[in-house]
């Protein structure tokens, strides 16, 4: 911006100072926890001084080196965190793929229909989007117990897909509005059916929008705690409820470092996601804002 | 698009929402009218060589049978809504009729679980949303002045608090605020109070939870406002400056009006998200000092052998009514826009 060059020194210092403060506030908790996950509990939760977490005094005394993998070993091997990781992989991938498949079809239909009921569906979706997930969960529990489908992965996947639909519909609806109507209509004039027009003309150009929406579906499935913690049995837990259950059982046994290691492990995929898809995430949030 | 094709396309999506959003809402309403069965007690006589004694215990067989026949429990009408754990009408009435001034009323009402949760939920919702938006706006203005090379990494770091799993994010901060963690220990030495901890201080708990909320919600506003800043018409900014507007006046009279529509969108999304605040309560183990409506539902459901479905459902219904009140203005406006467009 042009007035960057003529900024008074005091203001410039203020802006830079504020930004540094924010960057530290945003990044330091992660850096600190990653660093601490390689230490012994007596260091990361030191009763004497937090400086011990940096030097690793106790870790050195206990293991002979300043870094230890004990937390990771305890979480991944002893407490079978790998099982939870596989479950998370299954759940998030399925949720993303199913949400996108049915959401693309629905969003396309909503964008191309001018009838009043299309508007009402969008409004209903907006209201559903606002529902706290846990209130819906309390509606699922009893019926699922009765039907004997509680606790397994497919049930959770379907529920997450449904909870995710309102958002997916809105996002893809506004994305399809930005693709000119003439495109598929001219294909239909040439003799395509509506579905053929969708498959042959729209599908090749829809990927940017679908990928962006997919990122958010992925995040919803990955970050969910309310649904997965209530609907999955102990054996089928995904990572987030597994971490929560660590707190209940392990913290008392003095092995809180397992939970720290598990938390760091669960953060890594998100970190990579932002690293590779920063542009899409930003543009996705913006698209929703500008059109919504 | 003809009706038939439309419904062929949207059917799977509608079906998913009808089965797993609409039906659960109905199910919640029905469940909220029931309470769990009372324990069936039987008296048995235990005879040992040293004499006989009678024992009263729960008849598990009869309980299981009762559960089988009527899984919902006993019909209770609106009792769930009015009992001590929810709206607590009789408790409120007795507090109002017999109290020692306003402070006493507030203190005692706050001790009722539902009002405790409601007050934190509302405070969180209506404090975090504007504060996070202000923070996001400030970051957006600041990042916008950075040289291009620094923008990318700064945006990357700024997105992290938003993208992080809420439970994980709150755990990370909770560990740092632990009395043996880096921030908790520093706080203790700064204030000179060696007993200061989240567990011991409700005020500190609320402040830390709100700070977490601003930390995790700010980036969303930042990204949206930052994108909005890129579309500010430069001509208007230039001419305002030629007319002698100061930097602050440009922000106040050009940039803020330009971003206002975005701000309403952000406010709506954030209010909806913050109203369901839940994970931080679990992550910070803050339930002694601060609870939320979502947490109340969770707490009723999480008990391994005595899940209070009726109680959870009643809280859920009240929460849903709250959400509807929250989105009502938006719905009204959307409806007005729509009918105007149609005319």
């Amino acid at each position: 911006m042009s007035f960057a060059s003529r900024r008074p020194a005091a203001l410039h210092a203020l802006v830079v100072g504020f930004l540094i403060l924010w960057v530290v506030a945003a990044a330091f908790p992660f850096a600190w926890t990653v660093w601490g996950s390689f230490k012994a509990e007596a260091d990361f939760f030191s009763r004497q001084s937090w400086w011990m977490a940096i030097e690793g005094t106790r870790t050195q005394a206990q293991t002979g080196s300043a870094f230890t993998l004990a937390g990771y070993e305890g979480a991944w091997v002893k407490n079978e965190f790998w099982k939870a990781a596989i479950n998370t992989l299954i759940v998030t991938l399925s949720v993303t793929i199913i949400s996108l498949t049915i959401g693309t079809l629905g969003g396309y239909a909503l964008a191309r229909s001018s009838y009043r009921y299309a508007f009402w569906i969008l409004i209903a979706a907006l209201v559903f989007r606002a529902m706290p997930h846990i209130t819906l969960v309390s509606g699922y529990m009893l019926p699922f117990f009765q039907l004997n489908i509680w606790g397994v992965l497919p049930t959770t996947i379907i529920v997450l897909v449904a909870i995710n639909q309102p958002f997916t519909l809105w996002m893809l609806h506004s994305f399809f509005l930005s693709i000119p109507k003439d495109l598929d209509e001219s294909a239909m004039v040439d003799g395509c059916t509506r579905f053929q027009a969708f498959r042959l003309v729209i599908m090749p150009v829809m990927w940017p929008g679908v990928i962006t929406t997919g990122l958010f579906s992925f995040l919803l499935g990955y970050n969910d705690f309310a649904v997965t913690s209530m609907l999955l049995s102990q054996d089928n837990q995904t990572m987030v409820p597994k971490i929560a259950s660590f707190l209940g059982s392990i913290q008392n046994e003095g092995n809180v470092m397992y939970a720290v290691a598990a938390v760091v492990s669960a953060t890594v995929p998100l970190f990579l996601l932002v690293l590779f898809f920063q542009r899409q995430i930003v543009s996705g949030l913006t698209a929703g804002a500008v059109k919504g | 698009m003809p009706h038939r094709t439309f419904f062929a396309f949207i059917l799977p999506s509608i079906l998913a929402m009808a089965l797993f959003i609409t039906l659960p809402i109905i199910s919640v309403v029905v469940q909220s009218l029931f309470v769990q069965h009372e324990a069936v007690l039987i008296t048995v006589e235990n005879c040992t060589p040293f004499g006989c004694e009678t024992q009263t215990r729960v008849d598990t067989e009869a309980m299981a049978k009762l559960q089988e026949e009527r899984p919902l429990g006993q019909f209770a009408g609106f009792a769930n809504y009015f009992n001590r754990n929810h709206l607590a009408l009789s408790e409120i009435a007795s507090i109002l009729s017999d109290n020692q001034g306003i402070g006493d009323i507030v203190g005692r009402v706050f001790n009722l679980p539902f009002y405790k949760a409601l007050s934190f939920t509302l405070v969180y919702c209506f404090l975090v949303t504007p504060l996070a938006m202000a923070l996001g706006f400030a970051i957006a203005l600041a990042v916008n002045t950075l040289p291009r090379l620094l923008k990318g990494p700064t945006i990357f770091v700024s997105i992290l608090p938003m993208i992080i799993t809420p439970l994980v994010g709150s755990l990370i901060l909770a560990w740092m605020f632990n009395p043996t963690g880096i921030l908790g220990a520093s706080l203790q030495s700064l204030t000179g109070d060696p007993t200061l901890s989240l567990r011991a201080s409700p005020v500190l708990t609320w402040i830390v939870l709100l700070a977490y909320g601003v930390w995790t919600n700010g980036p969303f506003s930042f990204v949206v406002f930052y994108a909005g800043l890129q579309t500010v018409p430069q001509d208007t900014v230039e001419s305002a400056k030629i007319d002698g507007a100061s930097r602050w006046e440009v922000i106040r009279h050009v940039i803020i009006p330009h971003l206002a529509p975005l701000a309403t969108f952000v406010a709506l999304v954030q209010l909806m998200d913050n109203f369901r605040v839940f994970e931080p309560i679990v992550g910070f183990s803050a339930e002694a000092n601060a609870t939320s409506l979502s947490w109340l539902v969770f707490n009723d459901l999480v008990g391994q052998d005595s899940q209070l479905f009726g109680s959870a459902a009643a809280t859920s219904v009240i929460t849903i009514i709250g959400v509807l009140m929250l989105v009502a203005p938006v719905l009204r406006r959307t409806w007005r826009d729509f009918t105007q467009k149609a005319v």
Side-chain angles (χ1 to χ4, degrees):
Chain A
M1 254 166 103
S2 57
F3 63 128
S5 47
R6 287 182 279 119
R7 191 184 320 279
L11 186 66
H12 191 70
L14 190 77
V15 168
V16 170
F18 169 72
L19 263 186
I20 291 175
L21 203 69
W22 162 249
V23 167
V24 169
F28 178 68
F30 298 104
W32 178 254
T33 309
V34 171
W35 176 265
S37 68
F38 295 103
K39 303 287 174 189
E41 188 184 342
D43 277 332
F44 190 49
F45 295 98
S46 169
R47 285 181 202 287
Q48 290 163 28
S49 156
W50 52 263
W51 190 252
M52 290 174 71
I54 294 180
E55 286 180 338
T57 328
R58 292 288 167 77
T59 317
Q60 195 105 41
Q62 283 174 20
T63 64
S65 121
F67 297 94
T68 169
L69 284 171
Y72 290 90
E73 201 195 327
W76 283 85
V77 181
K78 229 186 270 171
N79 283 289
E80 299 188 316
F81 197 64
W82 56 271
K83 257 189 195 165
I86 293 175
N87 285 335
T88 298
L89 191 74
I90 297 172
V91 169
T92 36
L93 278 187
S94 318
V95 167
T96 312
I97 291 169
I98 302 175
S99 298
L100 285 181
T101 313
I102 67 178
T104 315
L105 294 172
Y108 174 69
L110 286 172
R112 291 293 184 263
S113 173
S114 49
Y115 289 106
R116 181 162 282 211
Y117 51 71
F119 169 78
W120 283 112
I121 292 174
L122 281 172
I123 286 295
L126 184 70
V127 175
F128 290 157
R129 160 77 176 72
M131 292 291 155
H133 301 163
I134 192 89
T135 61
L136 300 176
V137 170
S138 76
Y140 301 133
M141 298 276 282
L142 202 52
F144 285 178
F145 277 136
Q146 294 299 313
L147 296 170
N148 214 4
I149 51 173
W150 180 88
V152 293
L153 292 179
T155 315
T156 309
I157 291 170
I158 298 290
V159 165
L160 282 173
V161 165
I163 285 185
N164 201 9
Q165 263 318 284
F167 172 78
T168 315
L169 278 183
W170 264 95
M171 191 113 172
L172 286 168
H173 154 82
S174 50
F175 175 73
F176 281 121
L177 279 182
S178 71
I179 297 180
K181 253 187 181 144
D182 307 346
L183 212 60
D184 33 335
E185 269 164 14
S186 58
M188 282 163 67
V189 169
D190 290 347
C192 282
T193 64
R194 177 59 84 166
F195 189 74
Q196 280 171 331
F198 175 75
R199 195 166 58 92
L200 299 171
V201 181
I202 297 296
M203 269 180 72
V205 294
M206 73 180 185
W207 295 111
V210 171
I211 288 173
T212 309
T213 315
L215 283 173
F216 288 95
S217 304
F218 177 89
L219 280 178
L220 180 123
Y222 192 88
N223 285 346
D224 175 85
F225 174 61
V227 174
T228 48
S229 71
M230 300 311 300
L231 290 187
L232 286 174
S233 63
Q234 199 97 39
D235 305 327
N236 289 330
Q237 272 175 342
T238 53
M239 290 204 276
V240 180
K242 182 90 176 175
I243 291 171
S245 73
F246 275 1
L247 296 180
S249 57
I250 299 178
Q251 204 160 27
N252 304 333
E253 295 162 25
N255 282 326
V256 66
M257 293 320 289
Y258 296 176
V260 177
V263 154
V264 173
S265 315
T267 314
V268 171
L270 291 176
F271 204 78
L272 294 177
L273 192 79
V274 186
L275 202 63
F276 289 114
F277 293 104
Q278 180 175 336
R279 189 180 298 269
Q280 281 83 349
I281 292 172
V282 171
S283 78
L285 287 177
T286 325
V290 175
K291 286 159 197 152
Chain B
M1 188 183 269
H3 302 297
R4 264 190 69 135
T5 337
F6 176 80
F7 283 104
F9 267 94
I10 207 167
L11 192 69
S13 182
I14 293 279
L15 209 63
M17 289 201 289
L19 278 179
F20 294 102
I21 300 184
T22 319
L23 272 188
I25 293 177
I26 298 171
S27 149
V28 159
V29 174
V30 174
Q31 282 184 49
S32 71
L33 303 176
F34 290 84
V35 291
Q36 63 279 11
H37 295 289
E38 275 169 43
V40 184
L41 299 176
I42 47 167
T43 319
V44 283
E45 209 171 14
N46 258 352
C47 284
T48 56
F50 306 104
C52 289
E53 53 181 23
T54 52
Q55 241 184 358
T56 311
R57 59 166 197 223
V58 179
D59 183 350
T60 40
E61 221 168 282
M63 281 297 286
K65 196 162 157 261
L66 204 56
Q67 200 68 39
E68 184 102 4
E69 281 165 8
R70 284 181 300 171
L72 278 170
Q74 302 173 288
F75 185 74
F78 288 104
N80 271 329
Y81 290 93
F82 299 139
N83 67 15
R84 189 181 180 281
N85 286 326
H86 297 88
L87 295 177
L89 293 189
S90 57
E91 283 79 2
I92 294 278
S94 79
I95 291 173
L96 287 181
S97 66
D98 171 34
N99 62 69
Q100 291 140 10
I102 290 287
D104 186 45
I105 296 182
V106 173
R108 282 163 65 187
V109 169
F110 184 76
N111 270 333
L112 297 167
F114 174 77
Y115 292 97
K116 183 179 169 188
L118 182 68
S119 55
F120 179 75
T121 309
L122 290 179
V123 167
Y124 186 88
C125 195
F126 287 102
L127 264 184
V128 165
T129 307
L131 287 178
M133 284 172 70
L135 174 71
F137 182 58
I139 303 170
L141 282 180
V143 168
N144 208 25
T145 66
L146 282 178
R148 183 174 296 270
L149 202 63
L150 284 175
K151 274 182 185 169
T154 317
I155 295 176
F156 170 77
V157 170
S158 303
I159 294 180
L160 290 178
M162 166 184 78
I163 224 93
I164 189 75
T165 312
L167 184 77
V168 166
S170 43
L171 276 175
I172 287 179
L173 289 198
W175 286 328
M176 292 172 75
F177 275 105
N178 190 299
T180 52
I182 175 166
L183 291 179
S186 311
L187 265 181
Q188 283 185 350
S189 65
L190 272 181
T191 55
D193 178 0
T195 59
L196 188 67
S197 71
L198 288 187
R199 203 147 298 186
S201 162
V203 179
L204 188 65
T205 309
W206 280 48
I207 293 175
V208 169
L209 283 174
L210 293 176
Y212 163 78
V214 175
W215 180 74
T216 188
N217 282 310
F220 176 71
S221 316
F222 154 64
V223 170
V224 175
F225 287 144
Y226 177 73
L229 280 181
Q230 311 309 310
T231 65
V232 171
Q234 287 306 306
D235 299 350
T236 324
V237 176
E238 289 296 326
S239 53
K241 278 195 283 188
I242 292 169
D243 289 347
S246 70
R247 220 173 286 277
W248 167 245
E249 280 166 340
V250 170
I251 292 179
R252 173 73 192 79
H253 295 290
V254 180
I255 294 182
I256 290 186
H258 180 79
L259 295 181
L262 290 184
T264 30
F265 161 80
V266 175
L268 168 71
V269 172
Q270 303 257 282
L271 282 178
M272 291 195 298
D273 287 350
N274 288 334
F275 194 74
R276 61 178 145 213
V277 50
F278 161 52
E279 284 98 339
I281 312 270
V282 179
F284 282 94
S285 326
E287 57 269 19
N289 298 322
T291 57
S292 73
L293 293 176
S294 289
W295 184 85
L296 279 186
V297 178
F298 172 77
N299 193 39
D300 279 340
L301 292 176
V302 85
Q304 275 306 326
D305 37 33
S306 61
Q307 287 159 321
L308 306 171
F309 290 116
S311 170
T315 315
S316 298
V317 171
I318 299 174
T319 311
I320 290 175
I321 293 172
V323 167
L324 289 179
M325 276 157 51
L326 208 65
V327 294
V330 186
L331 293 184
R332 241 198 352 252
R333 215 192 59 182
T334 322
W335 171 242
R336 220 176 36 221
D337 289 355
F338 179 73
T339 45
Q340 272 168 3
K341 216 173 4 182
V343 166

